Amino acid sequence: MKISGRTQIVGIIGDPVAHSLSPAMHNAAFRVLELDFVYVPFHVRPALLRAAVAGLRALGAAGVNVTVPHKERVMAFLDSVSETGRRAGAVNTVVNRDGQLHGENTDVTGFLRALGEVKFRVRGARVLIIGAGGSARAVLTALAEGHAAAVTIANRTVRRARQLARSFGPTGMHLSATGLQSLTDARLLAAVDLVVNTTSVGLRGEQFFPLAYAATRRNCLFFDLVYGRATAFLTAAGRASRRTVDGTSMLLHQGAAAFTLWTGRRAPLAVMRRALRAGTPIQN
Ligand code: ATR
């Protein structure tokens, strides 16, 4: 990769950030399209987030991805935030528009595109979301934008599930909140078209919560936001002969959407997917 006098800088700010696959994915895309961009990781501690954003402005970076734990707080330091970002309450992509820093949430777009790739029809769908944190909020935003019909949020802490549903305001979707014991409720499971795990359970190879996989309809889709490994959740769904999508697909599509915002070019998906699969996390 050649760095010139005109090279544009993009990157990712997070804490931690060393495990991120985004540098490999984006740099592979820049290389294949011969774009004069470079994508670098920035380890930014929470106390320095404001200074980091001011630094991006001062240095004229073309943009950044934003990851945990900064996705919510970063909004306060930007000049504008998209409607989707405001609804999701989080920004994962910043675009520098002639010195104005604009926040977007391409996790929302990425989730919808990952569903589109397997021809899942969001409009009218009935969905079960497991978890009620920031990722659940992004998924809920996507489902509202795609006009899903009904969403049940199941969470360990039911109060948090209720808060999430309530904070969302009118969406046109029927929203309900429940505890994790509902995952074994065959009647509930038989009535959904999509089950999404938004918790980090499975990231370290743990067991998943008991769930009535076999009670779901044969064409029910199971989607895990966890990426980079075969999770117990998707393995069990596969064993029940249900279709599955893993988090790599959402990671790819959120990255592709960010790539287009920064470069104005269509993202080379095959190249980016290959870079993700090669999956060598960057070391620091
Ligand atoms: P994120 O922004 O990635 O969604 P988060 O806001 O910390 O992360 O939310 C994590 C979600 O995973 C929550 O729904 C959390 O449940 P609680 O609200 O009850 O804490 C859920 N979660 C994480 N670890 C869990 C575990 N071991 N068992 C059950 N739920 C878990």
Side-chain angles (χ1 to χ4, degrees), residues 120 130 134 193:
F120 181 86
I130 307 168
D193 308 299

Side-chain angles (χ1 to χ4, degrees), residues 45-66:
R45 296 258 154 74
L48 290 175
L49 180 60
R50 179 196 289 270
V53 175
L56 294 172
R57 221 185 267 280
L59 297 174
V64 280
N65 282 133
V66 183

Side-chain angles (χ1 to χ4, degrees), residues 131-136 155-157 160 180 198-201 209:
S135 312
N155 196 45
R156 175 175 61 185
T157 315
R160 232 180 141 198
L180 293 178
T198 71
T199 76
S200 53
V201 176
F209 318 112

Side-chain angles (χ1 to χ4, degrees), residues 33 80 119 150 201:
L33 295 186
S80 58
K119 308 255 180 309
V201 176

Side-chain angles (χ1 to χ4, degrees), residues 12-24 39-45 67-68 227 279-284:
I12 181 164
I13 57 178
D15 179 22
V17 80
H19 64 285
S20 174
L21 298 175
S22 293
Y39 188 110
V40 285
F42 297 112
H43 183 187
V44 174
R45 296 258 154 74
T67 188
V68 178
Y227 63 84
T280 343
I282 51 138
Q283 309 288 328
N284 65 357

Side-chain angles (χ1 to χ4, degrees), residues 71-72 88 90 105 107 132-141 160 164 198:
K71 288 188 190 189
E72 290 89 13
N105 190 312
D107 287 332
S135 312
R137 193 172 181 91
V139 166
L140 203 51
T141 306
R160 232 180 141 198
L164 177 59
T198 71

